[in-house]
């Protein structure tokens, strides 16, 4: 019997890769999207004909979520929708709390009331840990988030455990550390770097403006991380899992690797530091211990740090070339 999956945030980086994966496994895939004046479906344009239906709903409107669930009748629900930018959460803390915290719980509760047999996946984050837990962090590490984004995600994370323990739902959370790809949004530092380097290579800009070069993160490859999401919902019992690489690299190292991938010597005059880009409360080091996922899911990362950076730089160089060609035609 064909499985049905409902993905919130299907138009985002993770949602698009997850939709591809589930379609390849024979699922009927439904997506939840917010009603916008200009649809944002670029990342899923190539698979739109294969997606069963895109349903308009909003995480802070539980009645719309219930209607989406009634229409899709899913076996699995993947909640990937969120206010996803940590830095922005400091200037929009209330909206972040409503979507990342309360919105996730509204969807969780709607699933329970619609069909308590639904298998539910919640996108948690390494930002739950903050600066308290000594790296590497695992599922039992202390959590002390340092941003409105992480705080709201912690509320949702704990709610998943509560619905699992109180109501017997198959509900689990993936504590995913940073994961990147060419589909990452341009407002994220990794994509800002790779796209900026591609433009520098093409002579379209002269420098990158960055914040804290000494923030260390555990960076993996997004297409591999969505496979871990799927694996979590195929287990006999619901559990939370850290998904990571076990390696850390600084923002400065990411920039260095990006310039190298583009064939540009790493000159510091290509980088300008703007203190306004620093977060009010910084998280210095995040590094994940994925041993539980390796043992129970059979999952481990395959693509190395420098390969990820190279994939992103090469994709952005192609994108910049295409943009240049379009401008020439329009002129």
């Amino acid at each position: 019997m064909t499985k049905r999956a409902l993905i919130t945030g299907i138009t985002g980086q993770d949602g698009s890769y997850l939709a591809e994966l589930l379609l390849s496994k024979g699922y009927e895939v439904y997506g939840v999207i917010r009603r916008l004046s200009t649809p944002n479906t670029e990342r899923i344009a190539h698979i739109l004909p294969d997606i069963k239906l895109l349903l308009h709903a909003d995480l802070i409107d539980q009645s719309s979520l219930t209607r989406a669930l009634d229409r899709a009748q899913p076996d699995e629900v993947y909640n990937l929708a969120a206010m996803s930018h940590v830095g922005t959460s400091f200037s929009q803390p209330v909206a972040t709390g409503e979507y990342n915290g309360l919105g996730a719980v509204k969807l969780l509760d709607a699933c329970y009331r619609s069909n308590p047999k639904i298998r539910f996946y919640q996108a948690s984050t390494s930002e739950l840990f903050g600066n308290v837990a000594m790296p590497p962090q695992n599922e039992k590490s202390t959590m002390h988030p340092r941003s409105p984004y992480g705080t709201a995600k912690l509320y949702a994370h704990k709610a998943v455990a509560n619905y699992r323990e109180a109501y017997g739902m198959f509900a689990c959370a993936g504590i995913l550390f940073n994961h990147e790809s060419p589909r990452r949004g341009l407002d994220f530092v990794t994509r800002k770097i790779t796209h900026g380097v591609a433009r520098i290579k093409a002579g379209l800009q002269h420098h990158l403006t960055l914040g804290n070069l000494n923030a260390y993160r555990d960076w993996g490859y997004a297409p591999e991380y969505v496979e871990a999401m799927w694996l979590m919902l195929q287990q006999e019992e619901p559990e939370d899992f850290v998904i990571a690489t076990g390696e850390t690299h600084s923002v400065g190292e990411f920039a260095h690797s990006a310039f190298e991938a583009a064939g540009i010597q790493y000159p510091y005059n290509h980088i300008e530091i703007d203190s306004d880009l620093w977060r009010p409360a910084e998280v210095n080091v995040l590094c994940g211990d994925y041993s539980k996922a390796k043992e129970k899911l059979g999952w481990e990362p395959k693509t190395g740090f420098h390969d990820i950076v190279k994939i992103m730089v090469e994709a952005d160089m192609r994108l910049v070339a295409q943009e240049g060609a379009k401008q020439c035609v329009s002129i």
Side-chain angles (χ1 to χ4, degrees):
M1 186 174 180
T2 302
K3 284 187 177 182
R4 294 184 173 195
L6 181 69
I7 305 171
T8 71
I10 194 171
T11 60
Q13 171 188 255
D14 292 4
S16 63
Y17 284 123
L18 179 61
E20 287 178 349
L21 176 69
L22 296 180
L23 287 169
S24 74
K25 294 182 179 297
Y27 278 67
E28 280 187 7
V29 174
Y30 295 78
V32 168
I33 60 173
R34 295 175 65 192
R35 189 175 292 279
L36 302 171
S37 58
T38 303
N40 178 27
T41 55
E42 293 89 352
R43 293 184 181 93
I44 57 171
H46 62 296
I47 55 172
L48 270 177
D50 300 316
I51 294 173
K52 190 71 175 179
L53 198 61
L54 293 179
L55 301 162
H56 288 102
D58 196 298
L59 283 182
I60 60 174
D61 182 351
Q62 190 161 348
S63 63
S64 70
L65 297 173
T66 298
R67 287 193 295 272
L69 290 165
D70 289 345
R71 179 64 182 86
Q73 294 291 303
D75 302 290
E76 300 172 2
V77 170
Y78 297 84
N79 183 33
L80 310 185
M83 297 279 283
S84 60
H85 196 274
V86 178
T88 302
S89 76
F90 285 98
S91 60
Q92 299 181 30
V94 175
T96 301
E98 288 179 340
Y99 279 100
N100 295 7
L102 190 58
V105 178
K106 286 183 177 181
L107 178 59
L108 182 61
D109 190 69
C111 287
Y112 172 67
R113 296 182 187 282
S114 173
N115 176 9
K117 293 184 179 179
I118 287 174
R119 295 193 167 205
F120 183 91
Y121 172 85
Q122 168 64 19
S124 286
T125 169
S126 58
E127 292 288 333
L128 299 178
F129 296 118
N131 271 342
V132 172
M134 292 297 295
Q137 291 102 1
N138 60 32
E139 296 80 4
K140 296 180 180 179
S141 295
T142 301
M143 294 180 178
H144 185 82
R146 300 257 292 170
S147 65
Y149 171 86
T151 302
K153 282 285 192 177
L154 180 57
Y155 171 54
H157 182 79
K158 293 297 186 180
V160 167
N162 181 247
Y163 273 73
R164 183 169 64 221
E165 295 166 5
Y167 304 119
M169 278 190 71
F170 193 107
C172 60
I175 308 171
L176 272 58
F177 282 64
N178 295 58
H179 46 289
E180 315 300 323
S181 78
R183 298 182 192 174
R184 183 58 112 173
L186 287 168
D187 54 344
F188 287 82
V189 67
T190 50
R191 186 75 196 289
K192 180 180 180 180
I193 290 170
T194 61
H195 190 254
V197 166
R199 287 178 56 81
I200 290 171
K201 178 72 172 180
L204 298 175
Q205 71 182 60
H206 300 294
H207 64 269
L208 288 171
T209 303
L210 300 173
N212 183 8
L213 295 183
N214 293 316
Y216 282 78
R217 294 294 183 267
D218 183 327
W219 275 302
Y221 192 40
E224 297 170 3
Y225 282 41
V226 300
E227 182 182 10
M229 299 176 189
W230 175 76
L231 285 169
M232 289 180 210
L233 296 196
Q234 312 314 307
Q235 304 306 301
E236 291 186 6
E237 299 293 335
E239 296 183 68
D240 302 333
F241 289 89
V242 163
I243 304 299
T245 71
E247 296 182 8
T248 61
H249 299 273
S250 69
V251 173
E253 287 179 77
F254 197 104
H256 192 161
S257 184
F259 278 108
E260 188 174 71
I264 303 173
Q265 188 177 1
Y266 184 50
Y268 285 94
N269 62 347
H270 276 313
I271 293 181
E272 291 186 356
I273 303 300
D274 184 352
S275 59
D276 288 341
L277 295 177
W278 284 54
R279 299 175 187 172
E282 184 60 84
V283 175
N284 297 320
V285 181
L286 289 172
C287 180
D289 173 6
Y290 66 92
S291 57
K292 179 181 175 183
K294 182 176 181 180
E295 176 188 352
K296 293 193 173 185
L297 303 179
W299 182 92
E300 57 184 324
K302 301 179 180 65
T303 307
F305 171 76
H306 294 292
D307 291 328
I308 295 167
V309 178
K310 183 178 180 182
I311 289 168
M312 293 176 67
V313 169
E314 290 178 347
D316 273 325
M317 288 172 67
R318 291 192 296 270
L319 179 63
V320 168
Q322 291 169 5
E323 291 171 348
K326 288 179 182 177
Q327 288 177 358
C328 290
V329 170
S330 65
I331 293 171

